[in-house]
Amino acid sequence: MFAYHLRLGWHSLRDAPVLTALVVGLIALGVGMSMVTLTIYSTMAGDPIPAKSDVLFNVQIDSWNPQSPWDDDRPTSAPAQLTYIDAMAVRELPGAERRAAMFKSVYTLVPDSPELKPFLTGGRMTDSDFFAMFDVPFRYGGAWSQDVDRTAERVVVLSRAINEKYFGGRNSVGETLTLGSEQFRVVGVLDEWQPTPVFYDVNNGAFDDIQDIFLPFSTLQFGELDRSGNTNCWGDENVQTWDEFLNSNCTWIQFWIEVDRPTDVAVFQDQLDAYVMGQKELGRLPRPLNNPLMDVNAWLQHNEVVSEDNAVLVGLAFAFLAVCLFNAVGILLARFSGKASVIGVRRALGASKGAIFQQHLIEVSLIGVCGGLLGLGLSALGLQGVKRLYHGYDHLVHLDLTLVATAIAIAVAAAILAGLYPTWRVCQVAPASYLKTQ
Amino acid sequence: MLKMKDISRVYQTDLIETHALRSLSLSVDDGEFVAVTGPSGSGKTTFLNIAGLLEEPTGGVYELDGTEVSGLSDNERSRIRNEKIGFIFQSFNLIPDLNLFDNVDVPLRYRRMRGAERKQRIEDALGRVGLKSRMKHLPAQLSGGQQQRVAIARALAGEPRFLLADEPTGNLDSLMARQVLDLLEEINLQGTTVVMVTHDAELARRAHRTICLLDGQVTDLNPFGGQPNENHGLAVGQ
């Protein structure tokens, strides 16, 4: 019967092309709008590293002003970043499998070819554990060794994009490139990698592209670099030199650890608290003890990476879908009422109410599938529009298989919802009243 | 085959109550060909709708083929309609956007019959009414008489025990009407019980007996003259 009803449904859609187009268009419009907002929202709100999000922890230390909290609206919040002094100390604490200090920077990349002009490119100084900790894939080579985290060799890991641009995509491991006035040896080239959001540094563009250049954190010792990330300071410190900056109360370093066993989290927390207590004895860190370790999802939530506005937008889009459905109900009612006489004949010839219900439900499902497919097209167009209008949304706006399936499912569910009342109504047709007058 | 006892049907609105059938009792035996006549508003169509399980009576007992059918579920009533009853309507009631094959196919589909058997029955039924060669045509491409023959083929394909015809020749010219009536007689001769509602005296006379309705009740008055049930000496079933 399913195949028969499917054939009847298809037949019916073709027989009333204008009404079909109207209902399909309405559903497609609602689904398209909903999918655009849902796609962006689900990408933004998704777990950027599901396999490890519960073993990676952001380290915070409340090193802020004793007179006022870091965040007036949330007085119990600690600063999102660490001072250099604290970062270097936390680096030495036992208890974590992996650890990485990091900050955002910017470099002038000087091409070898005189035909190409030097250009600025974003970078990140970090420790070697960064790559293993965050499951960063490599196309060529790998991370620098842990020794480099102490010995400060001039080595570099490149993003796939900058390797394409600078080395034409070839295996550049072993080659050198010039950053500012210094030569750096390439030890690794990343494969395609774009965590969304960029959870490890949400205060410096959570939805930006990853940096192109990764340098050892230890190369800080070569002198001042062009930091480009968020820096927050308090008090009346007179910071004039690079060394003064490193020893200041300014927070600018993100710090992440990987702790594989839950019990070790408590161990690390104890170590961290002990460090802070020790600093208090030395007259530092005067605020109450507040050194939270937050896993990836808690960290993203704490920083409100996805604002409430996005959820409201999704809600509005679905409200628009509801309006479309409301209109579709009217059209379907008219469409099905027009078929009352044929339904009367079918009922007379032995179709039960259930069979008529199934037939029309399959017909509206078919409308849903068509609406879903057209809605997907509109979604793709909408996402392209978002891409063109808003910089930084490039990796947020793509339809994957899950979302395609979601779109079709939403469209079919929406069509069934819209068709439920008209279908129920049509099943109430008293066959006798249409047989005489057809 | 068909037994009705004290059947009543009342249509109610907020303002008025219309008694379409009042304590109607009659019976039709297996293999009979019965004409039901009466003036407009006498309850002929209501009788036919109740007989065909298209409507439920307000009161009374209705037995079809030995089964008490009042109060059956919609599924049960639909199944009986599909398996035991064939309908022929004045306005043919073919589905306009389906070709002849698919129109005849409709009742067989609801019987969940296998494809090969359906095809065979459809071809046989259309062959029997002389329209096998036109089974890919749409109803609109046929004359009125041909359309009614398709409707008969649709009724025959299900091999019903009971054929209900509502003014089957009402929209046809006399030649076509005669052909349709010949077909009904042939079907009846092969064992199918036929109940036909008609205004047409000639048609009524060709039935085994005539049942006259007036104000929702069986009456002895024959609108065509003579006694109502004297066609073949059969009595009005009560």
Side-chain angles (χ1 to χ4, degrees):
Chain A
M1 275 316 260
F2 179 81
Y4 180 58
H5 286 154
L6 201 62
R7 191 156 71 87
L8 290 179
W10 183 244
H11 213 90
S12 173
L13 298 194
R14 285 190 321 177
D15 282 349
V18 176
L19 285 183
T20 301
L22 268 174
V23 183
V24 167
L26 276 169
I27 290 172
L29 208 59
V31 167
M33 184 81 108
S34 308
M35 287 314 295
V36 169
T37 54
L38 193 65
T39 304
I40 294 173
Y41 181 79
S42 62
T43 312
M44 287 173 102
D47 186 338
I49 182 164
K52 297 183 85 173
S53 57
D54 56 342
V55 296
L56 298 175
F57 293 86
N58 179 265
V59 179
Q60 295 171 71
I61 292 176
D62 195 348
S63 60
W64 206 242
N65 187 347
Q67 309 304 324
S68 62
W70 154 254
D71 183 347
D72 289 334
D73 295 333
R74 293 185 299 175
T76 55
S77 288
Q81 302 177 111
L82 303 187
T83 64
Y84 178 74
I85 297 169
D86 292 332
M88 291 306 97
V90 174
R91 237 177 154 203
E92 304 303 324
L93 292 179
E97 304 290 325
R98 295 188 175 104
R99 68 204 65 217
M102 65 195 79
F103 66 92
K104 189 179 175 184
S105 51
V106 63
Y107 307 103
T108 306
L109 205 157
V110 184
D112 289 341
S113 164
E115 290 167 11
L116 296 172
K117 290 180 181 173
F119 57 90
L120 283 176
T121 186
R124 178 161 294 270
M125 276 203 163
T126 187
D127 290 316
S128 57
D129 277 354
F130 174 94
F131 303 98
M133 196 157 74
F134 297 154
D135 284 346
V136 182
F138 276 87
R139 187 167 178 80
Y140 304 118
W144 54 82
S145 69
Q146 285 192 327
D147 291 343
V148 175
D149 292 336
R150 301 195 180 283
T151 56
E153 277 182 51
R154 287 196 169 90
V155 291
V156 63
V157 166
L158 304 180
S159 74
R160 183 173 174 159
I162 201 74
N163 189 60
E164 284 286 340
K165 191 171 174 182
Y166 196 85
F167 290 109
R170 67 173 183 270
N171 183 354
S172 57
V173 172
E175 300 196 43
T176 58
L177 85 168
T178 309
L179 297 175
S181 57
E182 302 292 340
Q183 296 271 308
F184 286 77
R185 180 170 52 85
V186 178
V187 293
V189 176
L190 302 189
D191 209 340
E192 208 59 65
W193 184 60
Q194 178 61 59
T196 306
V198 182
F199 60 93
Y200 52 81
D201 190 4
V202 293
N203 292 302
N204 288 305
F207 298 102
D208 287 355
D209 291 338
I210 61 156
Q211 282 79 38
D212 283 326
I213 304 277
F214 293 85
L215 295 183
F217 192 91
S218 52
T219 55
L220 260 180
Q221 64 187 256
F222 297 137
E224 184 171 8
L225 290 149
D226 290 323
R227 290 174 303 102
S228 68
N230 186 293
T231 300
N232 301 97
C233 306
W234 61 273
D236 297 326
E237 288 181 303
N238 186 14
V239 178
Q240 299 291 332
T241 65
W242 176 239
D243 281 341
E244 283 172 349
F245 176 70
L246 293 182
N247 289 300
S248 71
N249 283 321
C250 295
T251 60
W252 54 286
I253 296 170
Q254 304 91 48
F255 203 101
W256 286 82
I257 58 167
E258 179 181 337
V259 184
D260 292 340
R261 288 189 300 269
T263 48
D264 288 348
V265 180
V267 170
F268 190 87
Q269 182 74 67
D270 289 345
Q271 296 285 340
L272 187 62
D273 290 349
Y275 161 72
V276 172
M277 294 309 289
Q279 290 296 298
K280 284 179 185 293
E281 285 172 15
L282 296 173
R284 283 190 73 235
L285 310 178
R287 288 189 61 77
L289 191 67
N290 181 24
N291 318 307
L293 297 175
M294 290 187 188
D295 70 18
V296 173
N297 289 317
W299 176 242
L300 294 176
Q301 212 170 353
H302 177 73
N303 284 280
E304 295 172 349
V305 171
V306 184
S307 72
E308 271 184 31
D309 293 355
N310 293 76
V312 169
L313 206 61
V314 174
L316 283 175
F318 275 88
F320 178 72
L321 175 62
V323 172
C324 292
L325 291 189
F326 193 71
N327 285 287
V329 170
I331 297 172
L332 286 172
L333 260 178
R335 180 193 179 95
F336 287 175
S337 300
K339 297 191 333 183
S341 55
V342 171
I343 291 160
V345 174
R346 288 189 176 277
R347 294 276 286 130
L349 297 176
S352 63
K353 281 183 185 176
I356 297 294
F357 192 81
Q358 191 190 48
Q359 176 193 333
H360 288 85
L361 220 52
I362 288 173
E363 183 174 331
V364 293
S365 301
L366 212 51
I367 288 175
V369 171
C370 295
L373 291 174
L374 186 61
L376 272 176
L378 293 179
S379 305
L381 277 178
L383 291 174
Q384 283 303 319
V386 170
K387 226 182 228 185
R388 281 172 190 265
L389 281 174
Y390 301 103
H391 173 72
Y393 273 63
D394 293 29
H395 47 269
L396 291 179
V397 291
H398 60 275
L399 285 170
D400 59 21
L401 203 62
T402 314
L403 286 165
V404 167
T406 308
I408 301 285
I410 288 176
V412 172
I416 288 176
L417 206 63
L420 223 46
Y421 177 63
T423 301
W424 176 80
R425 276 281 298 266
V426 92
C427 287
Q428 306 312 309
V429 164
S433 52
Y434 291 95
L435 296 174
K436 192 86 176 172
T437 54
Q438 198 194 34
Chain B
M1 179 73 210
L2 180 157
K3 264 188 200 165
M4 287 184 177
K5 189 167 169 51
D6 292 332
I7 293 288
S8 61
R9 182 68 172 102
V10 183
Y11 296 104
Q12 262 179 319
T13 66
D14 290 343
L15 297 175
I16 53 166
E17 203 173 69
T18 308
H19 292 260
L21 295 179
R22 299 165 189 265
S23 202
L24 177 88
S25 295
L26 58 82
S27 64
V28 176
D29 291 332
D30 253 351
E32 264 197 294
F33 186 166
V34 176
V36 178
T37 63
S40 281
S42 60
K44 300 186 299 292
T45 299
T46 305
F47 157 74
L48 205 74
N49 287 340
I50 289 173
L53 306 186
L54 296 172
E55 272 187 58
E56 283 206 69
T58 313
V61 178
Y62 174 25
E63 258 183 43
L64 181 69
D65 202 18
T67 308
E68 161 67 61
V69 291
S70 325
L72 289 181
S73 69
D74 178 70
N75 275 350
E76 275 300 303
R77 294 165 70 82
S78 302
R79 189 184 59 76
I80 293 173
R81 265 201 311 272
N82 181 250
E83 291 177 2
K84 294 189 174 174
I85 305 172
F87 289 95
I88 300 169
F89 306 98
Q90 180 178 359
S91 49
F92 324 132
N93 283 336
L94 297 175
I95 298 174
D97 50 358
L98 298 184
N99 63 32
L100 306 195
F101 185 96
D102 288 337
N103 260 289
V104 178
D105 191 25
V106 172
L108 306 183
R109 285 283 184 174
Y110 295 115
R111 207 179 285 191
R112 296 172 187 272
M113 214 171 254
R114 296 178 70 84
E117 189 182 352
R118 278 192 287 109
K119 186 168 182 284
Q120 187 62 52
R121 282 197 186 211
I122 295 164
E123 286 175 359
D124 287 351
L126 283 171
R128 203 164 157 192
V129 298
L131 288 168
K132 190 175 172 185
S133 61
R134 307 191 69 175
M135 61 187 175
K136 293 296 168 196
H137 286 66
L138 290 172
Q141 295 170 306
L142 304 181
S143 69
Q146 287 171 322
Q147 288 190 44
Q148 192 60 299
R149 276 151 59 197
V150 177
I152 293 171
R154 182 175 64 186
L156 292 181
E159 293 175 0
R161 298 203 53 204
F162 185 37
L163 193 64
L164 293 173
D166 188 4
E167 304 278 10
T169 59
N171 282 349
L172 305 177
D173 61 37
S174 54
L175 179 66
M176 292 288 186
R178 214 168 298 129
Q179 286 177 356
V180 166
L181 200 63
D182 290 346
L183 206 50
L184 288 180
E185 276 184 338
E186 186 191 322
I187 293 164
N188 175 247
L189 282 173
Q190 286 165 357
T192 305
T193 307
V194 179
V195 174
M196 174 178 67
V197 165
T198 182
H199 276 109
D200 188 318
E202 189 196 341
L203 252 63
R205 277 189 205 103
R206 288 177 67 169
H208 298 163
R209 72 185 160 106
T210 305
I211 295 171
C212 298
L213 296 185
L214 187 66
D215 293 335
Q217 290 175 305
V218 177
T219 176
D220 287 342
L221 295 172
N222 187 340
F224 308 122
Q227 292 304 304
N229 12 318
E230 67 184 3
N231 308 5
H232 298 281
L234 297 167
V236 173
Q238 287 274 2

